[in-house]
Amino acid sequence: MHLPVYFVGGLFMRSTVQEHSAFRFAVQLYNTNQNVTEKPFHLNYHVDHLESSNSFSVTHAFCSQFSRGVYAIFGFYDKKSMNTLTSFCGALHTSFVTPSYPTDADVQFVIQMRPALKGAVLSLLSHYKWEKFVYLYDTERGFSILQAIMESAVANNWQVTARSVGSISDPQELRRIIEEMDRRQEKRYLIDCEVERINAILEQVVTLGKNSRGYHYILANLGFSNVSLDKVFLGGANITGFQIINPENPIVQQFLQRWDRLDEREFPEARNTPLKYTSALTHDAILVIAEAFRYLRRQRVDVSRRGSAGDCLANPAVPWSQGIDIERALKMVQVQGMTGNIQFDTFGRRSNYTIDVYEMKAGGPRKIGYWNEYERFVFIMDQQVTNDTSSVENRTIVVTTIMEAPYVMYKKNSDHLDGNEKYEGYCVDLASEIAKHVGIKYKLYFVTDGKYGARDPETKTWNGMVGELVYGRADIAVAPLTITLVREEVIDFSKPFMSLGISIMIKKPQKSKPGVFSFLDPLAYEIWMCIVFAYIGVSVVLFLVSRFSPYEWHLDDSDEARDPQTPPDPPNDFGIFNSLWFSLGAFMQQGCDISPRSLSGRIVGGVWWFFTLIIISSYTANLAAFLTVERMVSPIESAEDLAKQTEIAYGTLDSGSTKEFFRVSLNLFLLGAQPVKT
């Protein structure tokens, strides 16, 4: 029995290897699994590979397909080739079935297999109540989502930072964009790109450590399972995306069973490469084309192409007369495929479709809801989805710490032990008890740079244990880590198990023993100098007072009777040496054989006696203690003493909380401290 053959054209880019295999395999599946009661027919294909997407190569390939008499063309387009293909299709009435991104314009003879994501993205943004986020988009995919987001931002007062990343090929440029967004404290990203560019962006996200807890990424792409998300998820970031392939769909399961048995020499990227969503759309495109031809045969519509197919470059263009019938049949198709229900509106766009919403979990991507045109976003409250404890129990928690006795130390026989058993200390016991209480498995991991954690003022990057947590290399830190305001901005702390202040640690001073001149220790050097000057001053004052007072001048009776005519000068007992002797005797509490007779001299003597009484009493009281107790001589009593001197080198632990305290302190005398590299 001779079956009619319908030729389908194929336009493939060099990067669409798996899609080409899926295209040929889908044609093979249809030809070998037909129902003989429904007027069977065969599908065949003519395939052209485009080296580039410029207008000349696209025109040459399309005209080549048209001249061969194909009934419809399946293929891919990009921004450069889209206008050329759509204009040829409209002029020649040749239907073009494509899994590429949907066009913004209303065009005829273009059947778009890929559903639009605009409604699903807006519904998900409303569900998460995002009001401030970054939108990274690819201009190659059109501007429909960008326009919808900007309109919603104006209506809902959103703060949206939009950046085009479609023309960026340098990873460093992507890194600079992410760093700029981080300086703006942006932690929510909507990425609207193809899978390859999403992977490039997420690679820079992991490199910069922006995949920690608190970050949320929504991927506006239908191939959530095709994106490399493991490294991003390990940091603790939340990742949400869309999936058009339902793994529970029987059609998907049957296809994958046969797909995995294919020979990769005949069908490249078939067995050991995950199925792309564009390959599933390619399979469904063959289903749509076959169903359209089946409908035309049932309706007895003659769509055969007899004679020459004509010149596609003729002026004016000569359209194919049966092209309208094939386009109408394609738009009337309603089948169930690998991407769910397949229907089209009057402009060839997918309608009445369902998109699954996924989040990355410990066990891999997990469905959290779905979206369709009628119900919008429906969130599924599943116990497996909401129970985060179960996902934690199924993986090993990385606990970072630092070698610091007595918190974390090596056991004496650590060489003969493995894993966590090699260590002991307070923090080791604390981590063990927490793990037993929560019921988790953990692994102790020492911070590579041996630092507690500080943020570089210039690069704004974290090091030490804080950096391990921020950049997702560890889940928990159990260590004697000080709680500071700067650290609390990026990580969460538990209640402290110990409270300590900032202390100055110096070398233990040597004990001083009594020396030859230890009797001078009870009084300061300044006091002794004041006593000497007071002693001399009082003696001089007493000498002068005695010279001016007549009561200090007197004659003995023998001197007066000896020569009454020429009496001698009356003597004065308080000469300068006697005054010094009087003051010294009073100070030593020994007295003197002379004493002042005048009132002024006695006042000076009485004041001096009172002064010496106080001084001698204080000296005697302190002398015994200074001679019997060995004193601890401490040259540093406060931070101010430390800053004033230059003999003792001092500093703080590098990348520690004390260094940060001194660095940001407003006290100028602390600016001399230099970090000690450890």
Side-chain angles (χ1 to χ4, degrees):
M1 178 180 179
H2 180 70
L3 298 179
V5 178
Y6 295 104
F7 280 90
V8 179
L11 297 180
F12 291 91
M13 307 290 181
R14 286 299 177 184
S15 59
T16 57
V17 177
Q18 190 186 79
E19 291 83 348
H20 183 212
S21 297
F23 174 80
R24 292 184 291 114
F25 182 54
V27 173
Q28 178 180 312
L29 282 178
Y30 175 78
N31 290 334
T32 56
N33 294 277
Q34 293 194 67
N35 189 347
V36 295
T37 62
E38 292 188 357
K39 296 184 178 182
F41 58 91
H42 270 295
L43 290 177
N44 209 338
Y45 50 83
H46 295 297
V47 172
D48 284 325
H49 293 281
L50 299 178
E51 294 289 345
S52 61
S53 58
N54 57 63
S55 299
F56 177 78
S57 60
V58 171
T59 301
H60 180 269
F62 188 91
C63 289
S64 174
Q65 297 284 350
F66 185 77
S67 63
R68 294 173 184 170
V70 296
Y71 290 83
I73 299 177
F74 171 86
F76 293 82
Y77 59 71
D78 55 16
K79 187 178 180 181
K80 297 178 182 179
S81 60
M82 178 183 64
N83 293 331
T84 302
L85 286 172
T86 54
S87 62
F88 270 117
C89 292
L92 300 175
H93 290 186
T94 301
S95 296
F96 185 74
V97 184
T98 177
S100 298
Y101 61 90
T103 59
D104 299 332
D106 296 334
V107 294
Q108 297 292 336
F109 296 97
V110 176
I111 308 300
Q112 299 173 0
M113 297 299 301
R114 185 185 302 192
L117 264 176
K118 178 173 63 177
V121 169
L122 293 178
S123 296
L124 200 59
L125 291 174
S126 301
H127 171 74
Y128 285 119
K129 296 181 173 58
W130 280 19
E131 297 180 354
K132 182 176 183 291
F133 59 92
V134 178
Y135 176 52
L136 304 179
Y137 64 95
D138 187 351
T139 52
E140 297 286 334
R141 292 159 58 90
F143 299 95
S144 60
I145 297 181
L146 174 63
Q147 181 180 356
I149 287 178
M150 290 307 171
E151 291 175 354
S152 299
V154 174
N156 301 316
N157 197 23
W158 292 349
Q159 299 180 29
V160 182
T161 303
R163 287 287 186 275
S164 173
V165 295
S167 59
I168 297 177
S169 58
D170 185 10
Q172 297 298 326
E173 184 64 26
L174 294 175
R175 177 179 297 190
R176 282 190 287 270
I177 292 177
I178 297 173
E179 289 176 340
E180 178 189 352
M181 297 301 108
D182 186 61
R183 287 192 292 270
R184 299 185 180 186
Q185 303 295 319
E186 298 282 0
K187 292 184 178 294
R188 295 172 175 175
Y189 290 80
L190 173 62
I191 305 178
D192 180 17
C193 301
E194 293 296 337
V195 172
E196 292 77 11
R197 192 167 299 276
I198 290 177
N199 285 329
I201 294 173
L202 294 182
E203 183 178 349
Q204 298 304 317
V205 166
V206 174
T207 302
L208 294 173
K210 308 307 175 188
N211 59 330
S212 58
R213 196 178 308 276
Y215 286 89
H216 192 172
Y217 298 90
I218 294 180
L219 310 181
N221 189 285
L222 291 172
F224 186 73
S225 60
N226 300 141
V227 183
S228 301
L229 301 173
D230 293 337
K231 293 182 179 179
V232 184
F233 175 72
L234 285 177
N238 191 10
I239 313 168
T240 309
F242 305 95
Q243 185 77 16
I244 193 64
I245 303 176
N246 184 3
E248 299 178 358
N249 186 347
I251 300 177
V252 175
Q253 295 174 352
Q254 293 175 8
F255 177 85
L256 291 178
Q257 288 176 359
R258 299 178 179 180
W259 179 257
D260 292 337
R261 292 196 297 264
L262 295 178
D263 186 357
E264 281 209 49
R265 290 173 295 183
E266 182 181 359
F267 298 96
E269 297 187 6
R271 294 182 59 182
N272 300 321
T273 305
L275 184 68
K276 300 178 182 178
Y277 76 97
T278 48
S279 299
L281 291 173
T282 302
H283 169 271
D284 288 351
I286 298 300
L287 288 184
V288 170
I289 294 173
E291 182 64 27
F293 286 133
R294 189 180 293 114
Y295 169 78
L296 291 172
R297 286 180 62 80
R298 285 198 302 264
Q299 298 297 322
R300 302 181 184 276
V301 177
D302 183 17
V303 292
S304 60
R305 301 190 64 167
R306 300 182 180 88
S308 175
D311 185 8
C312 70
L313 298 179
N315 190 12
V318 180
W320 179 34
S321 58
Q322 285 83 16
I324 295 179
D325 294 328
I326 293 181
E327 184 212 17
R328 186 181 299 112
L330 287 170
K331 291 180 179 179
M332 292 176 62
V333 168
Q334 181 178 0
V335 295
Q336 296 296 321
M338 293 179 65
T339 58
N341 181 62
I342 303 174
Q343 282 181 253
F344 303 97
D345 62 10
T346 55
F347 292 103
R349 301 191 187 96
R350 284 281 292 267
S351 62
N352 195 20
Y353 56 89
T354 300
I355 298 175
D356 293 330
V357 181
Y358 278 71
E359 274 192 0
M360 192 65 182
K361 299 294 181 181
R366 188 172 298 171
K367 183 177 177 181
I368 64 167
Y370 62 89
W371 183 92
N372 57 46
E373 296 175 290
Y374 306 104
E375 298 177 274
R376 315 305 289 177
F377 176 64
V378 178
F379 183 69
I380 300 176
M381 297 299 295
D382 187 5
Q383 180 64 25
Q384 281 190 327
V385 175
T386 58
N387 189 1
D388 292 333
T389 305
S390 60
S391 63
V392 173
E393 292 175 351
N394 294 329
R395 68 186 182 100
T396 301
I397 303 298
V398 179
V399 178
T400 183
T401 186
I402 191 171
M403 187 63 67
E404 181 77 26
Y407 304 100
V408 180
M409 303 173 291
Y410 280 107
K411 291 182 179 179
K412 293 181 179 180
N413 57 341
S414 59
D415 295 337
H416 305 288
L417 301 174
D418 295 324
N420 302 335
E421 298 298 326
K422 298 172 62 176
Y423 316 109
E424 63 180 354
Y426 179 83
C427 289
V428 177
D429 297 340
L430 181 62
S432 176
E433 292 299 322
I434 292 175
K436 291 178 183 177
H437 180 74
V438 180
I440 59 175
K441 295 180 292 183
Y442 72 99
K443 175 184 177 182
L444 288 177
Y445 160 71
F446 285 97
V447 60
T448 54
D449 56 8
K451 297 179 180 179
Y452 285 90
R455 184 168 58 185
D456 191 297
E458 297 179 358
T459 63
K460 305 298 182 183
T461 57
W462 286 88
N463 59 16
M465 290 183 290
V466 179
E468 299 293 307
L469 295 175
V470 170
Y471 302 133
R473 294 186 288 268
D475 300 300
I476 304 173
V478 180
L481 187 64
T482 306
I483 301 175
T484 63
L485 179 61
V486 180
R487 289 173 178 170
E488 279 193 312
E489 293 178 353
V490 294
I491 60 176
D492 293 327
F493 285 92
S494 66
K495 290 186 177 181
F497 57 79
M498 183 178 295
S499 298
L500 295 173
I502 297 178
S503 303
I504 299 175
M505 183 174 62
I506 62 175
K507 182 181 178 182
K508 185 177 180 180
Q510 297 180 351
K511 297 179 180 179
S512 61
K513 296 182 179 180
V516 177
F517 295 97
S518 295
F519 66 90
L520 296 176
D521 292 342
L523 299 180
Y525 171 78
E526 292 83 359
I527 300 297
W528 285 116
M529 293 304 299
C530 290
I531 291 174
V532 172
F533 285 117
Y535 162 68
I536 296 174
V538 169
S539 299
V540 172
V541 170
L542 186 60
F543 167 72
L544 295 176
V545 167
S546 299
R547 303 299 285 179
F548 291 125
S549 176
Y551 295 101
E552 298 296 340
W553 301 88
H554 60 88
L555 292 174
D556 292 338
D557 294 340
S558 59
D559 293 335
E560 186 177 345
R562 189 180 305 162
D563 190 1
Q565 299 296 327
T566 59
D569 294 334
N572 192 321
D573 294 335
F574 283 92
I576 187 61
F577 294 106
N578 283 345
S579 298
L580 291 170
W581 178 252
F582 173 81
S583 299
L584 181 61
F587 184 77
M588 295 296 180
Q589 306 253 316
Q590 299 301 317
C592 183
D593 54 352
I594 60 176
S595 60
R597 296 180 180 180
S598 63
L599 178 62
S600 56
R602 290 178 178 179
I603 291 175
V604 173
V607 171
W608 175 247
W609 289 342
F610 182 76
F611 170 75
T612 57
L613 174 65
I614 300 299
I615 292 296
I616 296 302
S617 300
S618 301
Y619 175 81
T620 305
N622 293 329
L623 179 61
F626 271 82
L627 293 180
T628 57
V629 177
E630 296 178 344
R631 291 190 300 161
M632 298 287 289
V633 180
S634 178
I636 304 298
E637 299 292 345
S638 64
E640 187 174 1
D641 294 341
L642 190 64
K644 284 182 177 180
Q645 58 83 42
T646 57
E647 296 180 359
I648 302 177
Y650 60 96
T652 63
L653 181 67
D654 191 21
S655 300
S657 59
T658 306
K659 177 191 172 185
E660 287 299 305
F661 169 78
F662 284 123
R663 189 179 67 82
V664 301
S665 176
L666 298 178
N667 298 326
L668 297 179
F669 66 87
L670 294 176
L671 297 180
Q674 299 296 325
V676 177
K677 300 293 183 182
T678 58

